[in-house]
Every structure is written in structure tokens, then in C-alpha cells.
Amino acid sequence: MLKAIIFDFDGVILDTETTEFMSWQDVFRKHDVALNLDIWADCVGRPNGYFDPYAHLESLVGGIVDRESIRKMRRLRNAELNLALQAFPGVGDYLMTARQHGLGIAIASSSEHSWVEN
């Protein structure tokens, strides 16, 4: 008997991959270079450390960048973009139907707990 429904967070409830890419594109543009979608798409779903956007940026600009400054600016931009997101169509309906049937609801994610909570 079905007792609960588990939703994956990133990519099922919200499209956070696009906002992540957009925030990195902003960083690269500020350094007058481009972040290629093909490079980014190859990294999606891969383990942490597979792609280092800071190292890639440094290779394109030919020097060291202020990683801490970039990290702060990009996180703010990414949060701003994520606040504008709405859940994918149907997610709310599934949640409401699950509750009406007395099912438990959980969210699973490989992201940090604090990210999902916010």
C-alpha cells in the first residue's frame, strides 16, 4: 500500500538548473567571456568537482579571479532568480491530492539541506 510520495527538489519541483546556469553566465559576462551551454550541460547531474567554473573562468580570462567576491555575488544573483521561480505545473495538484488521500510527503535532494529548506 502506498504510504508516501517523495519528490526530488531540483528539476522536479523547481527548475533551479537554469537559474544556476544564468547566474554563472552573469559572472562570465562581467569578465567579458562566455560560459558555453554545452560545457554546462555536460556537468549537470555529475558529482561535485567534475567541473570547476572558477578554474574555467580563469582559463578564459588568462588570470586569477577573486573567487570569494564572485561566490558572494553569484549566490545573491542565483537567490534572486530562484525567488522568481514557480513550481512546475501539476506539482501543487499532486501535493494536494496526496494530502487528501492521507499520504505522507517528502522532498529528496542531493543538494544541501539548507538550500532545500529556503
Side-chain angles (χ1 to χ4, degrees):
M1 169 176 242
L2 185 64
K3 295 182 181 181
I5 296 177
I6 302 172
F7 286 88
D8 183 36
F9 185 69
D10 297 307
V12 173
I13 295 176
L14 296 173
D15 180 12
T16 55
E17 288 296 337
T18 298
T19 55
E20 184 85 4
F21 176 62
M22 290 169 63
S23 67
W24 275 111
Q25 279 185 308
D26 289 349
V27 168
F28 278 64
R29 264 193 299 273
K30 285 185 181 188
H31 288 84
D32 297 321
V33 293
L35 176 57
N36 187 305
L37 178 59
D38 292 339
I39 290 171
W40 185 262
D42 182 54
C43 304
V44 174
R46 304 252 190 183
N48 284 342
Y50 176 80
F51 174 69
D52 181 348
Y54 297 102
H56 183 61
L57 176 60
E58 289 172 340
S59 74
L60 294 176
V61 300
I64 295 175
V65 298
D66 182 351
R67 291 179 180 216
E68 184 60 24
S69 174
I70 290 171
R71 185 188 67 77
K72 288 178 184 176
M73 185 272 302
R74 194 202 62 78
R75 282 190 174 181
L76 286 172
R77 177 66 176 140
N78 195 54
E80 175 185 305
L81 291 168
N82 285 336
L83 285 173
L85 290 177
Q86 293 185 7
F88 282 119
V91 170
D93 294 336
Y94 279 114
L95 293 171
M96 188 172 22
T97 301
R99 284 284 185 222
Q100 289 170 348
H101 287 91
L103 297 174
I105 298 169
I107 297 175
S109 180
S110 61
S111 298
E112 295 177 17
H113 190 265
S114 60
W115 162 242
V116 176
E117 273 189 352
N118 292 328

